[in-house]
Amino acid sequence: MTLSYVTAPRTWEVIVAGGGTAGAIAGIAAARAGARVLVVEALGSLGGTGTNAWVTPLMRNVSGGQNLNRGLTDELKARLHARGDGATDPGGNDNWFNPEGMKTVLEQMLLEAGGEVLYHTHVVATLAAEGTEPSANGHSFAGESERTHLSALILHNKGGLQAFCAGVIIDATGDADVAVRAGAPFHAGDEDGVHQAMSLRFSLAGVDTGQLAEFLNANGQGQSSPDFLHFWMVWGKKSSLEPLFREAVAAGVLEERDGDYFQGFSVPGRPGEISFNCPRIRADLNDGADPWHLSAAQTDGRAAIDRLTDFCRTFLPGCERAYIGTVAPMVGVRETRRVKGDYTLTLDDILDCRRFSDSICRNHYPVDIHSVKGGARLLHEREGTAPYFAPDAYHEIPYRALIPATLRNVLVPGRAASSTFEAQSAIRVQQNCHTMGEAAGIAAAWAARDHGADVRAVDVAALQREMRRWGGNV
Ligand SMILES: Cc1cc2nc3c(=O)[nH]c(=O)nc-3n(C[C@H](O)[C@H](O)[C@H](O)COP(=O)(O)OP(=O)(O)OC[C@H]3O[C@@H](n4cnc5c(N)ncnc54)[C@H](O)[C@@H]3O)c2cc1C
């Protein structure tokens, strides 16, 4: 059976596949850089993992006392703060946000810039321009003449299958869906193909946060304010809450694995609500690009949320009358496919604080692997002799890490950028995804307008200057 599709009567200079953490910012940046932009998003709101997987707060990325991600991230934070959906804690961390507010602000920024969005639409396939189709045996080449130029994306939504034509395509699906469908090679998982753990995040509302803060203060987890709670338990990591978890496991309220990772945070603009960075999904379900793993993660996570809710109500003072506020609509996926780019960022690049002449982002967030293999894996603690562990250290991410080696007019910002398993675990945090998205958006607009959509033809020194003009730190 041959599937047929209709071709949309309009074309765009830039189409962003996936309006998530990197994609929403990429769309805004491309629109501000003057391009006709469409963001195509599978769900009904922007922000991706940050909003729909409820990943709050933004992880800090600070070096020498300075936030490394500025530019559009600064504007986003300022707008969130202005409407009460963002906040700075007493320690000066300005990264707290309300995911619902984030959805609205991102959408406003995109539409104000003249960008368009098409929700409830999946990218399912790609079309290559004639004469640039991938070779039957895959891509072992990297020569300019042999690179695939994508002419369109095949989308699926309530209108059926449709081809949407674009100059440059930004693949911000987080899983490199576009690049992989176009035949681009990719990495996935660690040396055994095993991915980081997934989580299904949730929130509890109806919490007496004053009472909970009092309890935590008295039980070894000092809180700066009842408005900025942060508490945690991981087996064997000397959490003061470990005895409570032991008791709950013995009482049959929790399963042993529920203590593999437990963490709660306040959410600005949502008094009495705590957002949880858990439960961690069963270890054998670790591939977020496998539809069966993803679906089973949803059911596994929901059952665990029931147990954790019961635990909080029974064991944490202030939570007696708590109820589930949100089960995140998206499973939280930390790592799946990473495209093989013109450059692949490595662990050594991070530890040696490597600088690149085509840098588009600076990072000091550590290698942070939520391993399903058990035991601590690598360098989460900022301790060591490598240059990276100095308080004012950072490494850079080159523009080339966003360019799939075998494609001509595609950029991949975000967690699927070209990096090894270890390096990805450091660069994947939201603010870096924003900055990569910002770079990709400007570059895509320029490539579409001035360079026949060839993303390698972009003047990266000019891109860096433009990012600095927007307040960026590159
Ligand atoms: C459990 C968990 C906890 C984390 N904790 C933190 C934290 O505390 N702080 C922090 O800063 N970072 C944290 N991270 C990391 C960070 O949130 C992610 O790495 C980052 O948000 C990924 O951004 P992205 O743009 O690459 O992908 P996403 O934000 O996931 O965006 C991908 C978007 O593409 C859409 N999409 C996917 N496929 C298609 C398709 N085929 N067609 C159309 N649309 C599609 C999705 O719906 C989504 O909107 C955490 C991640 C997880 C999973």
Side-chain angles (χ1 to χ4, degrees):
M1 186 180 70
T2 316
L3 288 175
S4 58
Y5 57 81
V6 293
T7 301
R10 300 168 59 198
T11 65
W12 283 268
E13 286 165 314
V14 177
I15 293 185
V16 182
T21 317
I25 295 288
I28 294 162
R32 287 195 185 177
R36 270 195 331 277
V37 184
L38 176 69
V39 177
V40 175
E41 168 54 42
L43 300 181
S45 49
L46 298 177
T49 297
T51 57
N52 283 312
W54 260 69
V55 171
T56 72
L58 302 173
M59 199 54 85
R60 293 190 86 194
N61 183 23
V62 170
S63 173
Q66 299 294 320
N67 282 338
L68 291 177
N69 309 97
R70 307 292 303 274
L72 289 180
T73 304
D74 271 356
E75 181 179 334
L76 181 61
K77 287 185 200 172
R79 291 175 71 141
L80 285 165
H81 284 227
R83 50 183 281 139
D85 286 323
T88 302
D89 68 23
N93 177 6
D94 62 355
N95 291 314
W96 301 79
F97 75 95
N98 174 359
E100 291 303 328
M102 175 81 93
K103 290 176 187 175
T104 303
V105 171
L106 287 171
E107 195 174 270
Q108 287 171 346
M109 287 171 73
L110 177 68
L111 300 181
E112 283 166 14
E116 292 180 84
V117 63
L118 185 62
Y119 287 130
H120 305 298
T121 299
H122 272 92
V123 177
V124 293
T126 59
L127 293 181
E130 217 169 298
T132 76
E133 293 90 349
S135 54
N137 61 350
H139 295 272
S140 53
F141 54 79
E144 162 61 24
S145 61
E146 295 162 297
R147 288 195 182 105
T148 300
H149 181 106
L150 298 186
S151 56
L153 295 175
I154 305 287
L155 311 179
H156 182 258
N157 56 23
K158 284 292 186 183
L161 287 174
Q162 296 145 76
F164 275 42
C165 299
V168 176
I169 292 163
I170 298 179
D171 178 356
T173 58
D175 303 312
D177 282 4
V178 172
V180 170
R181 302 264 140 74
F186 59 92
H187 313 263
D190 65 6
E191 63 282 3
D192 303 317
V194 175
H195 301 274
Q196 287 204 54
M198 295 193 273
S199 302
L200 183 63
R201 296 181 64 145
F202 73 108
S203 76
L204 285 183
V207 176
D208 181 335
T209 48
Q211 203 186 339
L212 181 57
E214 231 171 80
F215 167 78
L216 292 167
N217 279 326
N219 285 276
Q221 301 221 357
Q223 303 297 319
S224 57
S225 147
D227 297 331
F228 294 99
L229 298 184
H230 172 215
F231 51 99
W232 63 279
M233 202 309 284
V234 179
W235 294 130
K237 292 277 185 187
K238 300 194 171 79
S239 165
S240 57
L241 299 182
E242 185 160 333
L244 275 191
F245 272 73
R246 270 286 149 242
E247 214 186 304
V249 171
V253 173
L254 291 180
E255 292 183 6
E256 180 78 15
R257 71 187 179 99
D258 295 328
D260 287 348
Y261 202 89
F262 172 87
Q263 194 177 27
F265 297 98
S266 298
V267 191
R270 301 173 78 104
E273 192 162 2
I274 301 291
S275 149
F276 290 90
N277 185 12
C278 51
R280 196 175 259 194
I281 301 305
R282 228 175 60 203
D284 58 313
L285 304 170
N286 60 68
D287 187 355
D290 177 321
W292 291 99
H293 280 214
L294 203 53
S295 178
Q298 199 80 58
T299 49
D300 183 67
R302 210 186 310 276
I305 287 170
D306 246 22
R307 295 193 296 275
L308 289 166
T309 303
D310 201 7
F311 164 75
C312 292
R313 285 184 185 141
T314 313
F315 289 87
L316 295 183
C319 296
E320 294 83 353
R321 296 221 289 250
Y323 56 92
I324 295 173
T326 305
V327 173
M330 260 173 87
V331 176
V333 178
R334 291 185 171 85
E335 177 271 332
T336 56
R337 310 177 192 119
R338 299 150 352 244
V339 75
K340 283 192 184 167
D342 282 2
Y343 187 86
T344 298
L345 194 78
T346 67
L347 179 60
D348 284 343
D349 292 337
I350 291 179
L351 296 180
D352 294 342
C353 295
R354 184 127 187 239
R355 310 291 206 259
F356 297 94
S357 59
D358 62 338
S359 163
I360 45 88
C361 182
R362 293 176 179 173
N363 173 55
H364 191 203
Y365 186 71
V367 170
D368 177 12
I369 298 173
H370 289 240
S371 175
V372 298
K373 291 178 168 173
R377 288 216 55 205
L378 282 170
L379 311 178
H380 181 47
E381 276 70 41
R382 291 174 191 244
E383 290 167 4
T385 53
Y388 192 62
F389 297 100
D392 59 350
Y394 64 84
H395 72 88
E396 295 180 331
I397 303 173
Y399 176 62
R400 282 164 297 157
L402 311 189
I403 306 179
T406 60
L407 303 178
R408 182 175 178 275
N409 60 330
V410 177
L411 290 166
V412 183
R415 69 176 164 84
S418 183
S419 47
T420 62
F421 181 68
E422 291 86 358
Q424 190 269 2
S425 76
I427 65 171
R428 70 191 166 91
V429 290
Q430 289 179 63
Q431 299 192 83
N432 288 333
C433 292
H434 293 159
T435 306
M436 286 189 263
E438 186 172 326
I442 300 169
W446 290 0
R449 190 190 60 205
D450 300 330
H451 303 295
D454 180 359
V455 295
R456 289 174 181 79
V458 168
D459 176 350
V460 182
L463 172 63
Q464 292 163 333
R465 283 196 298 277
E466 187 67 355
M467 290 181 78
R468 277 182 220 119
R469 204 172 66 79
W470 291 20
N473 210 352
V474 292

